[in-house]
Amino acid sequence: MKTLFDRQIYEQFTEPILVNARQFLWIATANIKMTLVRFKNRFISFPDMMAIMIGRGVAIRIIHAELPSGPFRQRYDRIDQKGRLSSSVEFLFCPRTHAKLFIVDGVHTLVGSSNLTGAGMGAKASNKRNFEVGLLAENVEESRPFVEYFDNLWMGGHCKDCGRKDICPGPL
């Protein structure tokens, strides 16, 4: 495992690993905001990046605790006019989610403080970024416990005994 701080998260995970997912990208995050990433020498929004990934056959799942920000939803909706994103990106709203996991192809996993936000892991100037820390698992064996944890959340493993069904829009 490798420790990443602040800008290193973008430089050593987001740009070289996350945007190059080939099979799947699983994200657990409390917040989703408009995030810009560099792809082929230009900056694009995360919804645009998701569309590119889907075009490559990448399956995307996102567990989140709050509604995505207005700018994120507006860009997502603009791209999704033909249903390409909504038919290929799976979202799961779980108000108790506070874990931050970014799993790429079951090989690389970033676990730490970063949400799916520009200040957390996107291309932001140093004076506009959050102070973040992450551990980067760099192989299948190191990533396995995080893959299993995410899968358990996704499959509703915590729903039966959650205790927050009163605020959950659709318990599994």
Side-chain angles (χ1 to χ4, degrees), residues 105-116:
D105 300 332
V107 176
H108 295 93
T109 300
L110 179 72
V111 58
S113 61
S114 297
N115 282 299
L116 181 53

Side-chain angles (χ1 to χ4, degrees), residues 92 94 96 152-165 168 170-172:
L92 177 66
C94 174
R96 289 192 57 199
N152 185 54
L153 288 174
W154 188 265
M155 298 305 292
H158 294 291
C159 291
K160 181 181 174 203
D161 300 317
C162 170
R164 298 303 311 262
K165 292 179 183 174
C168 186
L172 297 175

Side-chain angles (χ1 to χ4, degrees), residues 31-60:
N31 301 316
I32 302 173
K33 295 183 180 176
M34 184 54 78
T35 303
L36 297 178
V37 296
R38 186 184 350 234
F39 182 73
K40 294 189 176 181
N41 295 319
R42 62 188 176 100
F43 289 97
I44 62 173
S45 72
F46 198 76
D48 287 290
M49 190 69 242
M50 290 191 305
I52 290 167
M53 289 180 186
I54 288 165
R56 296 197 292 250
V58 175
I60 301 173

